[in-house]
Amino acid sequence: MALSRVALLGLRAGHGRVQTKCKLRSYSSSLLQHFSSPYNQLFRNAGNAAKVPPSGSTFYGLFVGATALGAGIYVYRTLHSDKSRFHDRLSTFNSIKERSEAESTEAEAVVKQDNVTVEAPPPAVLPSFVPFLLIGGGTAAFAAARSIRARDPGAKVLIVSEEMEPPYMRPPLSKELWFSDDPDMKQTLRFKQWNGKERSIFFQPPSFYVAPEELMSAEHGGVSVLTGKKVVHMDVRENKVRLDDGTHISYEKCLIATGGTPRNLPAIERASEEVKQKTTLFRRVSDFRSLERLSSTVDSITIIGGGFLGSELACALGWKGQRTGLEVNQMFPESGNMGKVLPEYLSHWTTEKVKSEGVNVMSEAVVKSVRCQGGKLHISLKDGRQVQTDHIVAAVGLEPNTELAKSAGLELDGDFGGYRVNAELQARNNVWVAGDAACFYDIKLGRRRVEHHDHAVVSGRLAGENMTGAAKPYWHQSMFWSDLGPEVGYEAIGIVDSALPTVGVFAKATEKDTPKRAAEESGTGIRSESEVHDVSQVEKETERKPSTPALAQQRDSYGKGVVFYLRDNVVVGMVLWNIFNRMPIARKIIKDGEPHADLNEVAKLFNIHEE
């Protein structure tokens, strides 16, 4: 409508006289003064054109009308654009105001519970970038974090853990915790070591860690633990991971220390849901608490597995069962406890020791099927034997967690499992792997994958050093230990495989050759308190496939000693049987890698014949 009026005004000006021309000149002049645009020159020309003779009035009117029409279009568009920008800015200001008011309201909000007024905490904001990202919240991750901070005191380290607890040690879950008489132990997870000293399974109290949202602003750096979160995708090219809640975190250096998941038996996986609900795959704090509670409410528990974990749990539950009436069964396919690790004669001797703890041990037992009937589990073995129990604990090994291999493009080892890394524990540029999930190259023993606490410490420490530029190869051999009842404790190192040729050198044990004395001297509580009976016989076992000694001979022959494991006549592993705090000697023997003509002489390095 406004444009029509401008055009009509131009036509009227074409039929007017001098008075109209003067008005147009005045109108054009006012327009030029009002607008600053490319049309200024055009209006000046239009003003000059007003001086043409009256005979050109029609042409002049059309020209001025067109000019005025163009000016009107320009004015209209300018005003419309200004109006749109005005409304956009108004909406933005209103949005900012509403957000500010909402934040103010949220900051002032309070929650009233049980008549107690508590200020609502602000939402946590996770860092989008961290210099050191550790995936996994176990022993290896904590060892790496400690190593990184030791070499770089200002380092900022973020640990992402699926578990709800901060990093803790796992060995007490199958050892010392079961012997605690503290009624609050399940909550505090504090226990007395075998030397009488009290400690917690947690490496550090909660106050040691920096809140994740405060990590990047911490003046002196620190270690943060993000619990209850899982890394589900890893982009090694962009140095970025994605969590299960969609959060993205970039990193400079990354460690994969995801550990493993307990394996299950095919017979249980095929069974009903009721059978699975009555089965524990023992690994975490939550598994310990659940099993400890069950051990006080059910009549019987059956442990399937004869390795380290299965045998330790059998002894611990057997000890408890002798005091509470709990029936404890243990079954495994080997001929004796620790059959895949110990020579046959020691394996059978160990089985007798486990039995002495009140455990009903069933060797050469292969589970065929499991069913639930009348609230009880019925286990059928392939040889026809039947076992009825209330609960099953499956301790049949560990499957390394390697889900990130696909998205990250990391190589897995087909023989040993786990992420394949070099001697420096590096899988890719800026990515390292440590602990159970690492298949590493041992510069003395070749490619290996180890599932023990001390290896998690050793490999985590080495990975942390290399993440800060140390470039060190794996050479420090980790060790492991086990408690099998009150009379047996041992430490082992290297490759200990019962399929290898072994040489055992044994001697008489004394009162000081006990796990209790070892704990007292070392100040650690990693072994059970025991009473070792003195023996009078010194025996040397040197054979590739040793026969099984008579039972009476077993009970009296193996007070303390060293078992050497050989490959191409070179010692690649050792078990120190009731010999403690001599691991540096064992490490040196493996590191030297020399053949020995008489291992009895080598055994003397451990002072096994001392009274």
Side-chain angles (χ1 to χ4, degrees):
M1 192 70 180
L3 295 180
S4 299
R5 290 176 180 175
V6 173
L8 181 60
L9 179 62
L11 291 175
R12 288 179 178 176
H15 293 283
R17 301 289 181 180
V18 177
Q19 190 175 18
T20 305
K21 295 177 183 178
C22 292
K23 289 180 180 179
L24 285 173
R25 289 194 189 98
S26 176
Y27 181 69
S28 298
S29 177
S30 65
L31 283 175
L32 288 170
Q33 292 176 2
H34 184 70
F35 297 108
S36 177
S37 71
Y39 293 96
N40 288 350
Q41 185 62 40
L42 182 61
F43 271 90
R44 293 190 186 98
N45 294 336
N48 293 332
K51 299 178 181 180
V52 298
S55 61
S57 297
T58 301
F59 176 78
Y60 164 76
L62 292 174
F63 179 81
V64 172
T67 302
L69 179 62
I73 294 173
Y74 173 80
V75 172
Y76 175 81
R77 289 183 175 178
T78 300
L79 292 175
H80 183 74
S81 176
D82 289 343
K83 181 179 179 181
S84 298
R85 285 197 299 271
F86 171 79
H87 284 293
D88 290 341
R89 291 181 180 179
L90 184 61
S91 299
T92 302
F93 292 150
N94 289 336
S95 176
I96 294 174
K97 180 179 179 182
E98 291 172 358
R99 186 163 64 248
S100 177
E101 292 174 350
E103 291 174 352
S104 298
T105 302
E106 185 177 84
E108 297 172 357
V110 294
V111 179
K112 293 185 178 180
Q113 297 177 344
D114 301 328
N115 297 324
V116 178
T117 301
V118 181
E119 291 187 1
V125 179
L126 298 179
S128 59
F129 167 81
V130 291
F132 296 97
L133 176 66
L134 312 183
I135 305 174
T139 299
F142 182 80
R146 184 166 50 190
S147 181
I148 291 169
R149 291 278 295 170
R151 289 176 54 88
D152 181 2
K156 298 176 180 179
V157 183
L158 176 64
I159 298 175
V160 179
S161 174
E162 290 185 58
E163 297 195 52
M164 299 307 297
E165 296 83 8
Y168 60 89
M169 61 181 74
R170 299 189 191 277
L173 299 181
S174 59
K175 297 183 178 73
E176 294 96 331
L177 282 174
W178 289 97
F179 297 86
S180 174
D181 55 2
D182 183 0
D184 298 325
M185 176 270 301
K186 290 192 295 294
Q187 284 70 40
T188 63
L189 297 176
R190 296 189 63 84
F191 60 95
K192 284 186 178 180
Q193 300 178 127
W194 307 125
N195 57 7
K197 296 180 180 179
E198 186 179 276
R199 67 165 302 171
S200 169
I201 71 168
F202 297 103
F203 292 112
Q204 292 289 347
S207 59
F208 170 82
Y209 301 98
V210 179
E213 60 270 21
E214 299 174 2
L215 177 62
M216 295 308 295
S217 60
E219 181 180 358
H220 302 292
V223 179
S224 293
V225 181
L226 182 60
T227 58
K229 299 295 183 182
K230 181 178 181 179
V231 175
V232 296
H233 187 274
M234 185 174 186
D235 187 339
V236 297
R237 294 181 179 178
E238 297 293 330
N239 284 8
K240 182 186 297 185
V241 301
R242 186 178 76 244
L243 307 185
D244 50 2
D245 62 358
T247 302
H248 288 81
I249 301 177
S250 299
Y251 59 84
E252 183 177 343
K253 304 291 178 62
C254 181
L255 173 70
I256 299 176
T258 48
T261 301
R263 293 192 183 101
N264 203 348
L265 278 82
I268 296 178
E269 291 178 338
R270 295 192 302 264
S272 66
E273 194 63 32
E274 193 173 3
V275 170
K276 296 175 183 177
Q277 291 176 356
K278 293 178 178 292
T279 300
T280 296
L281 303 180
F282 197 89
R283 175 70 172 171
R284 300 181 173 184
V285 164
S286 56
D287 301 324
F288 165 76
R289 285 172 168 157
S290 174
L291 187 60
E292 204 281 335
R293 183 177 63 255
L294 280 168
S295 67
S296 301
T297 58
V298 301
D299 296 327
S300 69
I301 293 177
T302 296
I303 299 167
I304 302 178
F308 295 100
L309 179 61
S311 299
E312 289 172 358
L313 282 174
C315 289
L317 287 170
W319 180 88
K320 182 175 183 178
Q322 288 180 320
R323 290 153 180 78
T324 63
L326 174 69
E327 179 187 58
V328 181
N329 305 310
Q330 184 190 18
M331 57 180 64
F332 44 79
E334 295 81 25
S335 61
N337 286 77
M338 312 297 298
K340 293 182 179 180
V341 175
L342 299 176
E344 189 176 8
Y345 58 91
L346 273 185
S347 173
H348 288 193
W349 185 84
T350 300
T351 299
E352 295 303 314
K353 290 299 181 182
V354 175
K355 288 180 179 179
S356 70
E357 290 296 308
V359 180
N360 176 30
V361 180
M362 304 175 67
S363 58
E364 299 179 342
V366 179
V367 178
K368 180 181 179 181
S369 64
V370 183
R371 59 188 175 87
C372 188
Q373 182 177 352
K376 295 283 187 177
L377 295 177
H378 296 262
I379 305 173
S380 299
L381 304 182
K382 285 190 176 181
D383 59 8
R385 286 179 287 179
Q386 301 283 328
V387 176
Q388 182 175 293
T389 189
D390 294 309
H391 196 80
I392 290 175
V393 179
V396 292
L398 200 68
E399 194 69 31
N401 292 329
T402 57
E403 295 91 342
L404 294 176
K406 184 175 181 180
S407 61
L410 302 179
E411 182 181 3
L412 300 180
D413 190 88
D415 296 325
F416 299 97
Y419 296 97
R420 194 177 178 91
V421 296
N422 60 18
E424 297 175 8
L425 304 182
Q426 192 169 28
R428 288 282 293 273
N429 187 37
N430 295 330
V431 179
W432 288 259
V433 187
D436 300 337
C439 181
F440 60 98
Y441 181 76
D442 187 320
I443 60 177
K444 286 296 181 181
L445 303 178
R447 190 155 293 279
R448 305 173 62 196
R449 191 175 69 82
V450 181
E451 299 174 357
H452 294 295
H453 172 83
D454 193 59
H455 169 68
V457 174
V458 171
S459 62
R461 180 172 63 238
L462 176 62
E465 291 178 353
N466 289 339
M467 291 172 76
T468 55
K472 292 182 179 179
Y474 183 98
W475 64 269
H476 180 77
Q477 294 293 330
S478 63
M479 55 83 71
F480 57 92
W481 70 91
S482 186
D483 303 327
L484 300 172
E487 298 181 359
V488 178
Y490 66 84
E491 297 176 350
I493 189 173
I495 300 175
V496 286
D497 186 342
S498 60
L500 292 173
T502 61
V503 173
V505 181
F506 293 88
K508 177 183 177 180
T510 66
E511 291 183 358
K512 68 178 182 180
D513 299 315
T514 66
K516 179 181 179 180
R517 288 289 295 273
E520 291 173 346
E521 292 177 6
S522 65
T524 62
I526 59 175
R527 296 171 183 85
S528 62
E529 182 179 344
S530 66
E531 295 178 3
V532 178
H533 299 291
D534 289 344
V535 295
S536 58
Q537 184 178 356
V538 177
E539 179 173 340
K540 174 183 175 182
E541 297 284 348
T542 307
E543 48 199 353
R544 287 181 176 270
K545 295 183 178 179
S547 58
T548 303
L551 180 60
Q553 187 180 17
Q554 290 183 37
R555 288 189 179 276
D556 296 333
S557 298
Y558 309 113
K560 64 179 178 179
V562 182
V563 180
F564 299 95
Y565 293 74
L566 306 175
R567 189 169 63 187
D568 299 329
N569 294 320
V570 174
V571 176
V572 295
M574 276 173 277
V575 168
L576 308 185
W577 189 265
N578 272 344
I579 294 177
F580 310 105
N581 304 322
R582 312 280 175 80
M583 198 50 64
I585 301 173
R587 283 195 176 96
K588 186 178 186 305
I589 294 172
I590 292 179
K591 184 178 180 181
D592 291 343
E594 299 175 356
H596 298 277
D598 188 355
L599 288 174
N600 186 51
E601 293 298 316
V602 179
K604 292 180 180 179
L605 297 173
F606 297 91
N607 299 323
I608 66 171
H609 298 295
E610 284 187 351
E611 293 294 334

